[in-house]
Every structure is written in C-alpha cells, then in structure tokens.
Amino acid sequence: MKKRVLLVEDEEALVALLRYNLEAEGYEVTAVMDGDEAAEVAEAMPFDIIVLDWMLPGASGIELCRRFRRTEPTRHTPILMLTARGEEEDRVRGLVTGADDYVVKPFSVPELLARMQALLRRANPAAADDTLTLGPLTLHRASRTARWQERELPLSGLEFDLLTHFMENAGRVLTRDQLLDAVWGMDAESGPRSVDVAVSRLRKALVGAGAPKDLIRTVYGSGYVLSAPAK
Ligand code: CA
C-alpha cells in the first residue's frame, strides 16, 4: 500500500523536486503551497506523514504543527519540519510544539527520505517497510543485513545497530554520548572510546564494499555524521 504524504511547501522548485523523488520511492504525494489550505486538506483526509515547511503564506508551519497535534486525524501523524538555516531557536520551538523531526535547508533528498522512513517506522512498526535506504546504501532490519550496492557489509550486531541509527538520522551530527545512549544503552563498560572503535570498524566495512571514505565523517569536537553519498 502506498504511503500518503502531505507536502506543505511554497517553493515551487522544491515541491517539484520532492514530488518527483517521493513518487519514485512509491509515495502518493499531495502538495499544498499555502498554510491555510494545508489545514483544510489535512483535516479532510488521513496522511501517513506530513512534511511541513516552516515559513509559509497563510498559517505558518508552527501554527499548523500546533493545530495538527490538537485535532484529528493528524494528532498522531508524524511531522517532519523543513527549516532554514539560522532558525536554531525556532527549530527547538518546532520540536516542542510537536514536530517529530526536522531537516535544515538545503538538505539532501536521500537524507530526507531516510528520515521519513525512520518516522514512519516509529509511528507504525508493524506496517513499516523493513528496509532503510540512503542512496546505494540499504539496510534490511529483519535479516539484519546491510549492503552497499550489491555488496553485503560484514557487520557485527553492534555495528549493524550503529549503522541503523546513523541512517535514521542521516545528515545529522551525532555526539558520542548520543550514540552511546542510542546504540549501547546502559552498558557500563562502554565509553566514548567504544564509539570511536565501532565507527572505525563500520567505516572499514563500508569502504571495503566500495563506499566513499567520507560517508561517515568525523566532526571535530562534536561527533560523527552519516551523509548521503554524492552522486
Ligand atoms: Ca517557505
């Protein structure tokens, strides 16, 4: 069954780009360019996910977000916010008001798609596609296997979990502490150094299968980021 996405964005070129890519991924796209119209459309029929621009003519993204969270059928619909750079404070407010995730413009389409997959899975694990993709990188949860193009990556269980977390947060810098929390959990034995070791093994597996060396980048003083591979 096709996933229905409501795309609320007033930049025509971006709408065209996203519509093309989302439809190619099997989504059914309803695009709306005005905030007031978006509210009407969202209340008239259910969507699996809403991709919502921050700055819109009519009701703003944040107003819509609040409204969606208060009313049916959008109360539990995952919302991915599109924000512009330099809206740090606004971004935080957006999350507080009920957006589930955000990407900062300009973003890469494969990263947006990976984030959408992660939100859809969180919203409905049973119905979600078991595959995560980021360009030529694919990961299959049920079989716990990952591939770069056709080549299977030789990963330990931990490295697989780490890659899953990176893919769900594609394009976002993750600190060592965040990675420890998300992947290692309460294991008292591990520390930041465990993260470095696991990342280095994961990189080695990726590069060995033909992926670019900078697929997972070290961000000095912060942590690591998995970015969509350049075409
Ligand atoms: Ca806008």
Side-chain angles (χ1 to χ4, degrees):
M1 217 176 59
K2 285 196 170 186
K3 296 283 182 201
R4 289 147 62 111
V5 49
L6 174 60
L7 172 61
V8 189
E9 168 59 65
D10 60 320
E11 269 175 64
E12 267 181 65
L14 186 54
V15 171
L17 175 77
L18 290 178
R19 181 191 286 282
Y20 174 82
N21 282 280
L22 288 166
E23 287 179 352
E25 290 296 316
Y27 288 94
E28 192 180 308
V29 181
T30 302
V32 174
M33 300 179 79
D34 169 279
D36 296 326
E37 194 190 341
E40 283 171 34
V41 172
E43 276 151 35
M45 60 195 270
F47 289 90
D48 294 294
I49 187 164
I50 300 170
V51 177
L52 182 58
D53 185 32
W54 185 266
M55 299 292 281
L56 292 165
S60 74
I62 188 141
E63 284 163 10
L64 283 174
C65 210
R66 280 202 195 102
R67 181 165 173 174
F68 288 161
R69 280 295 169 258
R70 276 201 311 262
T71 53
E72 298 299 343
T74 48
R75 193 184 298 274
H76 301 293
T77 309
I79 299 175
L80 180 67
M81 204 94 189
L82 307 178
T83 70
R85 262 186 216 293
E87 289 175 341
E88 302 286 332
E89 195 190 325
D90 288 349
R91 217 185 293 164
V92 173
R93 258 169 46 211
L95 293 173
V96 169
T97 4
D100 297 278
D101 199 1
Y102 64 89
V103 293
V104 181
K105 292 179 182 178
F107 51 82
S108 93
V109 173
E111 287 169 8
L112 179 81
L113 291 169
R115 299 278 197 88
M116 287 175 67
Q117 287 176 337
L119 285 184
L120 284 165
R121 183 179 169 84
R122 222 187 292 160
N124 193 352
D129 187 345
D130 231 22
T131 307
L132 263 178
T133 54
L134 185 71
L137 184 60
T138 57
L139 178 149
H140 189 242
R141 295 174 196 266
S143 64
R144 291 183 65 79
T145 53
R147 286 169 197 280
W148 176 263
Q149 290 166 345
E150 297 304 309
R151 298 187 65 179
E152 189 170 334
L153 305 173
L155 300 177
S156 69
L158 180 76
E159 289 150 20
F160 179 86
D161 293 341
L162 183 61
L163 180 61
T164 306
H165 193 67
F166 271 125
M167 289 180 76
E168 288 175 343
N169 292 282
R172 171 172 295 152
V173 177
L174 299 168
T175 65
R176 289 173 178 80
D177 282 344
Q178 285 170 338
L179 289 166
L180 272 174
D181 271 358
V183 180
W184 278 258
M186 300 302 281
D187 179 1
E189 295 294 299
S190 46
R193 176 74 190 136
S194 314
V195 177
D196 296 336
V197 170
V199 168
S200 132
R201 290 202 179 126
L202 177 56
R203 268 186 185 142
K204 205 173 157 196
L206 284 162
V207 171
K213 283 197 181 67
D214 62 351
L215 194 63
I216 299 174
R217 277 188 301 113
T218 305
V219 180
Y220 185 73
S222 299
Y224 296 102
V225 58
L226 171 71
S227 302
K231 293 258 163 71

